Amino acid sequence: MQTTFKILFSALLVAFFFNCKNNKETPAETTTTTVETPTDKKQGQAFIADDGSTPNVLQIAMGSKDHTTLVAAVQAAELENALVNAGPLMVFAPTNEAFAALPAGTVENLLKPENKDALANILKYHVTPGNYTKDFLKKFKKLGQANNQDVKVEVIGDDVFVGGAKIIASVPAGNGIVHVVDKVILPEN
């Protein structure tokens, strides 16, 4: 029996040796693929197509005919990626009419590249961490905004005003909620 074991062990060792040798003789092919990305193309999570999940706050604004000015401002301030993060985010979204009510030339001036920081500050003043309904907002006196300033919350009857802007509609989003407002909320500075 010991002899049979030695023969079997020797056969396995020889088979193992030849198998290893054969694997070394067939070189593996490697292919390197280079993907070129145009430098002028926008990058980040905001620019990934996703038709399967609940729309995020940016997608809701982009899909609204009443928020084209807001979307243009977000794009000019390059804040798209901030509005698609996991959140939750509350965005107080002024309508086109709200932007049109600003003094003549204000929007055009803010959309200029040299005013990008001022525009970003105003837009961040419209964003709050959290996901609160209009009714739940009635419990607040103020909210801390994304630009590190507070905004006043007022309740008049059943209406909720944030920074003087009345919430006229609310749309749940995959990463928070969009509260449509009738006025552009301007920070103190």
Side-chain angles (χ1 to χ4, degrees):
M1 180 154 169
Q2 202 173 24
T3 307
T4 308
F5 179 70
K6 286 182 181 179
I7 293 173
L8 185 58
F9 180 73
S10 297
L12 285 173
L13 189 60
V14 169
F16 179 73
F17 175 75
F18 281 109
N19 192 26
C20 289
K21 184 178 178 187
N22 287 340
N23 285 341
K24 284 185 178 179
E25 290 177 0
T26 38
E29 289 186 31
T30 57
T31 306
T32 304
T33 305
T34 304
V35 178
E36 293 186 29
T37 306
T39 55
D40 62 340
K41 185 177 179 182
K42 300 259 185 174
Q43 295 183 7
Q45 189 174 352
F47 304 99
I48 297 173
D50 177 13
D51 297 331
S53 59
T54 304
N56 59 51
V57 294
L58 179 62
Q59 291 167 330
I60 289 170
M62 291 177 77
S64 169
K65 62 180 177 48
D66 296 323
H67 291 93
T68 56
T69 306
L70 175 62
V71 171
V74 166
Q75 291 170 337
E78 297 180 359
L79 293 174
E80 299 99 330
N81 286 314
L83 293 177
V84 299
N85 73 32
L89 301 172
M90 275 190 305
V91 175
F92 300 99
T95 62
N96 292 340
E97 289 178 5
F99 279 102
L102 292 172
T106 301
V107 174
E108 293 78 11
N109 189 44
L110 285 170
L111 292 175
K112 293 178 181 176
E114 61 268 21
N115 296 324
K116 179 180 165 185
D117 291 340
L119 177 61
N121 183 50
I122 292 169
L123 293 173
K124 289 176 184 178
Y125 196 57
H126 288 79
V127 180
T128 303
N131 185 2
Y132 307 128
T133 64
K134 176 182 165 183
D135 285 336
F136 194 77
L137 285 172
K138 292 177 180 180
K139 299 178 181 184
F140 291 85
K141 297 290 182 200
K142 64 180 179 177
L143 297 170
Q145 302 302 87
N147 72 341
N148 295 319
Q149 293 182 346
D150 292 335
V151 67
K152 186 177 179 181
V153 178
E154 294 178 280
V155 179
I156 302 172
D158 282 340
D159 294 324
V160 177
F161 293 81
V162 177
K166 179 181 174 181
I167 296 176
I168 56 177
S170 298
V171 182
N175 63 339
I177 191 166
V178 176
H179 292 295
V180 179
V181 293
D182 66 349
K183 182 178 170 186
V184 176
I185 308 167
L186 297 173
E188 292 179 15
N189 56 6

